[in-house]
Amino acid sequence: MSNPNAAPAPVTVIGLGLMGQALAAAFLKNGHPTTVWNRSSAKADELVANGAVLAPSVEAAVEAGPLVVICVSDYDAVHALLDPLEGSLKGRTLVNMTSASSAQARATSKWAVEREVGAYIDSAIMAIPPAIGTDEAILLYSGPKTAFDEHEETLKAIAPEATLYLDEDPGVASLYDVALLGVMWSVENAFLHGAALLGTAGVKATAFLPLAKALAEMTGGFLDAYAQQIDDGEYPADDATITTHILAMEHLVDESRELGVNTELPELIKVFGQRAVAAGHSDNSYAAMIEQFRKPSA
Ligand code: NAP
């Protein structure tokens, strides 16, 4: 377990794109001796002016301390940089903040074991660069808990309020990443479709916004009961049945068509409702549709 009263521990950041620069800046701001490396070294200039040390090679960067954070475009770049290293990562903790699939994260964890990396932690960044180091940042981690505990205090520089350990399985952080992005895009798409509908009546998106936000918040409240129902595998319709939902879904499709607005999103919503009814869930709650999502697409 890391000691919150200890002097800030050294950290290395490899990859100084938009995100890597924000990560390194957050470590520096919290007093961590920070070593950096980037393929295009000019991107380190501002960080060096603020106290970072620019390593002359990836190897030197890795060997500068016990904790190595890498954040580059993709896992091909991760391997292009780290595969050639011979033993430099032994005994060190590698935290990979590069976005990837859960399968890539698990494969890289295996690679790390074969390479005798001290510990491999996979991470997902649920934030944009300006939010790094602020209370808005959410950082997710999966992999060996003991290694996370050891470096948690250092990692908190990136997300002071939400440095979240999830699971020993290194793929879980990436799975959360895509699942949460799905939530984000669903809300955004619904807002955009609604704004298109209301736009036909001259209603501005800014006028729609407060009620759209209220509904998004109210819907978040519905999820408390649905999550429990999904885990229990039983879907009592305490609020509304899927039959009732389908009638309203049809209004959304018809209204969209009549107003010349795109119908694909409401059609998709309706199709899932219809499938749930066909599977015998007409009198169940909306949560019963989980069974349609669990199946592979036809
Ligand atoms: P970026 O600004 O495009 O930076 C990409 C970085 O990868 C640069 O440091 C680049 O080096 C390096 N790189 C790419 N290919 C390389 C190679 N073959 N060898 C060595 N270095 C290579 O991207 P970013 O926004 O920082 O994103 C980095 C990661 O964070 C991505 O996985 C992204 O999905 C994730 N992320 C980003 C955000 C965001 O809002 N930006 C949010 C969440 C997660 P050069 O500078 O030399 O080109």
Side-chain angles (χ1 to χ4, degrees), residues 238-273:
D238 300 326
D239 47 9
T241 63
I242 290 183
T243 301
T244 304
H245 279 288
I246 284 185
L247 291 172
M249 289 170 183
E250 279 165 3
H251 292 320
L252 183 61
V253 175
D254 294 344
E255 187 80 84
S256 302
R257 188 184 306 108
E258 282 160 24
L259 294 174
V261 165
N262 189 289
T263 58
E264 288 167 87
L265 183 62
E267 289 280 9
L268 181 68
I269 293 168
K270 193 175 99 177
V271 162
F272 275 91

Side-chain angles (χ1 to χ4, degrees), residues 15-20 38-40 43 71-73 77 81 98-99 125 127-129:
L16 302 174
L18 291 170
M19 187 52 83
N38 193 57
R39 180 177 60 179
S40 323
K43 288 189 185 168
C71 185
V72 286
S73 299
L81 294 173
T98 308
S99 301
I125 304 172
I128 53 173

Side-chain angles (χ1 to χ4, degrees), residues 276-294:
V277 168
H281 292 295
S282 51
D283 291 333
N284 286 146
S285 82
Y286 203 89
M289 278 205 253
I290 181 70
E291 297 189 1
Q292 306 312 311
F293 284 100
R294 281 185 177 137

Side-chain angles (χ1 to χ4, degrees), residues 69-237:
V69 170
I70 187 161
C71 185
V72 286
S73 299
D74 54 33
Y75 276 37
D76 286 346
V78 169
H79 286 291
L81 294 173
L82 302 184
D83 280 359
L85 303 185
E86 290 295 337
S88 301
L89 280 158
K90 258 189 196 172
R92 302 179 206 281
T93 294
L94 175 64
V95 181
N96 190 358
M97 297 193 180
T98 308
S99 301
S101 69
S102 57
Q104 283 176 305
R106 289 178 185 129
T108 307
S109 175
K110 273 190 173 170
W111 164 92
V113 171
E114 287 157 12
R115 290 306 188 98
E116 298 181 47
V117 175
Y120 177 81
I121 297 177
D122 212 89
S123 172
I125 304 172
M126 310 309 299
I128 53 173
I132 296 299
T134 75
D135 291 351
E136 281 173 33
I138 301 175
L139 266 280
L140 308 178
Y141 297 92
S142 56
K145 173 90 164 64
T146 45
F148 172 81
D149 286 346
E150 194 182 327
H151 298 289
E152 180 179 4
E153 212 49 45
T154 303
L155 295 169
K156 275 186 177 169
I158 303 171
E161 287 300 313
T163 294
L164 307 177
Y165 177 80
L166 300 172
D167 205 280
E168 291 280 333
D169 173 352
V172 169
S174 297
L175 272 182
Y176 265 89
D177 189 12
V178 287
L180 290 168
L181 288 173
V183 172
M184 180 186 81
W185 286 317
S186 295
V187 173
E188 289 175 349
N189 284 340
F191 176 71
L192 297 178
H193 182 263
L197 276 177
L198 284 161
T200 65
V203 178
K204 297 272 188 208
T206 44
F208 176 41
L209 179 68
L211 280 171
K213 281 173 116 172
L215 254 291
E217 198 170 321
M218 190 192 293
T219 308
F222 299 158
L223 298 185
D224 292 342
Y226 293 168
Q228 192 59 55
Q229 291 184 2
I230 291 166
D231 288 349
D232 293 345
E234 289 176 12
Y235 320 105

Side-chain angles (χ1 to χ4, degrees), residues 13-62:
V13 179
I14 295 175
L16 302 174
L18 291 170
M19 187 52 83
Q21 287 185 47
L23 300 173
F27 288 127
L28 278 174
K29 197 173 160 210
N30 280 264
H32 294 277
T34 306
T35 301
V36 295
W37 184 89
N38 193 57
R39 180 177 60 179
S40 323
S41 59
K43 288 189 185 168
D45 288 353
E46 196 179 330
L47 293 162
V48 170
N50 288 322
V53 172
L54 175 61
S57 64
V58 181
E59 193 171 29
V62 166

